[in-house]
Amino acid sequence: MSTAGKVIKCKAAVAWEPNKPMVIEEIEVAPPQANEVRIKIVATGVCHTDLYHLFEGMHKDGFPAVLGHEGAGIVESVGPGVTEFQPGDKVIPLFISQCRECRFCKNPKTNQCEKGWAADSHDVMALAESRFTCKGKKVLQFMGTSTFSEYTVMNQMAVAKIDPAAPLDKVCLLGCGVCTGYGAAVNTAKVEPGSTCAVFGLGAVGLAAVMGCKAAGAKRIIAVDINPDKFEKAKVFGATEFVNPKDHNKPINEVLAEMTGGGVDYSLECVGNVAVMRSALESCIKGWGVSVLVGWTDLHDFAARPIQLIAGRTWKGSLFGGFKSKDGVPEMVKAYLNKKVKLDEFITHKMTLDQVNDAIELMKHGKCIRTVLSVSPQ
């Protein structure tokens, strides 16, 4: 029986309020409107940005919401005006749109887009409009995606069609974490062959940054984390050395300066902590060092001494690894299928949507790299 044009009742994890566990509810998902596609989500990763919204950002206007933004699925139906997708296509929802028409999309220097939730709702992390309702109440669509639901509706400019051979329970990670870290090294920092890099934070984003540094030909890749359990995993992705700041009685930037004869060529902050951002900048060599902010946060100001930049360091930020989303994600899927990018190695746990709160707890306590939730049968 076709569901096209009808409201679908399905299961979703609803965050009714901040700082509370999500609740598995039956929600209604309206049919796609003009230029929209309705997607059956097959698998989703649990990312720190979901935790950020729930436990740190806690914006009063950002609830109730269906969280999740690192998913993969199959197109169920399309709205009027959609020509790029048809039912049955394998797709990855994108939290950054690519309309291909705005001044940002036309400029090769950026992957920003003037359309979508991120253009003017980055603090709330959701647009006011949504196709979700639950118990008669409107439920917000988190980051324009909401992958902790069996079905979601998205504008076609925020969906990437991918190779039909791609395993959805692996490539879902390309919807956020892996592209974010890998691209920060390759696209934003533009790591050069033979260089020395430091990656701060060895979650999925940091490990992907390590993988990006290796792919770019870095000679030394120093992994920095206060959890030594992560060092073995970092080796798999290409880290050559490891530093635990807790093992030293001097600032980490001084430790790295001693190890590298003055500082690293590139540093990537993959934690989302303003103190670590400053340490990462100070770990760069003066003259040409480049430090990239990768970890997502919008809670505090960050600071540095002017002389640190006057001396020739560059401080820059990276959103979604600098990838233009609709173009970059299918390319990364191909790179995975061609064994040029690792994905399986990030996945430490597999669970179901019903276990989403357990997955959140694992991440909160640093007990996983990535947990992939099975959402709907394929």
Side-chain angles (χ1 to χ4, degrees):
M1 190 180 92
S2 172
T3 48
K6 298 174 184 164
V7 171
I8 289 179
K9 289 187 175 182
C10 70
K11 220 164 50 166
V14 178
W16 286 105
E17 52 186 314
N19 217 7
K20 293 274 170 66
M22 286 173 272
V23 183
I24 302 296
E25 303 275 17
E26 182 180 82
I27 67 166
E28 294 84 41
V29 183
Q33 297 185 11
N35 300 313
E36 292 181 340
V37 295
R38 188 159 59 183
I39 301 164
K40 179 169 88 163
I41 298 292
V42 172
T44 181
V46 179
C47 170
H48 187 268
T49 309
D50 302 313
L51 276 70
Y52 170 85
H53 183 70
L54 199 54
F55 302 116
E56 296 171 45
M58 299 198 293
H59 198 290
K60 64 177 180 9
D61 297 329
F63 297 86
V66 174
L67 301 186
H69 62 284
E70 192 177 77
I74 297 164
V75 173
E76 173 268 339
S77 61
V78 301
V82 175
T83 53
E84 191 184 337
F85 301 96
Q86 53 193 33
D89 284 346
K90 282 190 177 181
V91 292
I92 289 180
L94 306 166
F95 69 86
I96 292 186
S97 49
Q98 188 185 352
C99 72
R100 303 192 194 280
E101 292 163 3
C102 73
R103 58 186 174 149
F104 292 100
C105 282
K106 286 178 175 172
N107 191 322
K109 293 178 181 173
T110 183
N111 65 342
Q112 306 274 331
C113 174
E114 281 187 328
K115 310 254 175 84
W117 73 274
D120 53 15
S121 313
H122 65 89
D123 51 350
V124 180
M125 301 184 84
L127 284 171
E129 204 178 349
S130 154
R131 304 281 168 261
F132 298 142
T133 50
C134 181
K135 298 177 180 171
K137 286 185 178 167
K138 181 179 74 174
V139 177
L140 297 176
Q141 185 173 23
F142 178 66
M143 294 177 83
T145 54
S146 290
T147 56
F148 294 170
S149 171
E150 291 177 325
Y151 287 87
T152 191
V153 176
M154 302 197 52
N155 192 295
Q156 62 177 344
M157 68 185 175
V159 180
K161 184 150 90 175
I162 59 168
D163 192 312
L168 298 177
D169 60 340
K170 308 290 195 302
V171 298
C172 61
L173 301 187
L174 294 170
C176 181
V178 174
C179 283
T180 295
Y182 187 89
V186 174
N187 301 328
T188 310
K190 294 185 167 53
V191 168
E192 294 173 323
S195 60
T196 297
C197 303
V199 175
F200 289 73
L202 299 176
V205 173
L207 292 172
V210 168
M211 179 166 70
C213 292
K214 184 180 182 188
K219 188 164 143 203
R220 293 178 71 185
I221 304 168
I222 305 165
V224 182
D225 201 293
I226 55 173
N227 181 354
D229 295 346
K230 293 185 174 175
F231 291 161
E232 277 307 306
K233 198 76 170 171
K235 221 180 268 183
V236 172
F237 293 99
T240 58
E241 296 154 74
F242 310 93
V243 180
N244 182 344
K246 287 184 168 176
D247 292 344
H248 300 272
N249 53 13
K250 59 175 80 164
I252 184 68
N253 60 296
E254 291 180 21
V255 176
L256 291 171
E258 284 173 15
M259 288 172 67
T260 57
V264 299
D265 301 307
Y266 303 94
S267 68
L268 298 111
E269 192 280 346
C270 302
V271 181
N273 176 304
V274 292
V276 180
M277 290 170 187
R278 180 167 184 164
S279 294
L281 174 73
E282 292 173 345
S283 299
C284 281
I285 193 158
K286 66 182 181 183
W288 63 79
V290 174
S291 187
V292 182
L293 278 57
V294 191
W296 177 276
T297 185
D298 193 30
L299 295 178
H300 309 286
D301 291 345
F302 60 91
R305 308 285 294 195
I307 188 65
Q308 291 168 339
L309 299 181
I310 292 167
R313 295 178 186 87
T314 302
W315 216 1
K316 58 205 300 194
S318 182
L319 183 62
F320 196 53
F323 284 107
K324 284 192 183 281
S325 56
K326 282 174 87 79
D327 298 337
V329 167
E331 288 303 314
M332 285 291 279
V333 169
K334 277 189 194 140
Y336 167 69
L337 292 173
N338 293 330
K339 301 199 168 16
K340 298 210 167 91
V341 166
K342 296 182 197 293
L343 290 179
D344 306 47
E345 292 81 355
F346 286 95
I347 300 167
T348 51
H349 297 75
K350 292 183 177 179
M351 295 183 175
T352 62
L353 182 61
D354 293 334
Q355 298 169 289
V356 64
N357 290 312
D358 299 333
I360 292 276
E361 285 302 307
L362 280 175
M363 175 160 268
K364 215 199 251 184
H365 299 291
K367 299 271 196 279
C368 67
I369 301 299
R370 262 299 182 268
T371 300
V372 170
L373 304 178
S374 153
V375 182
S376 306
Q378 218 162 305

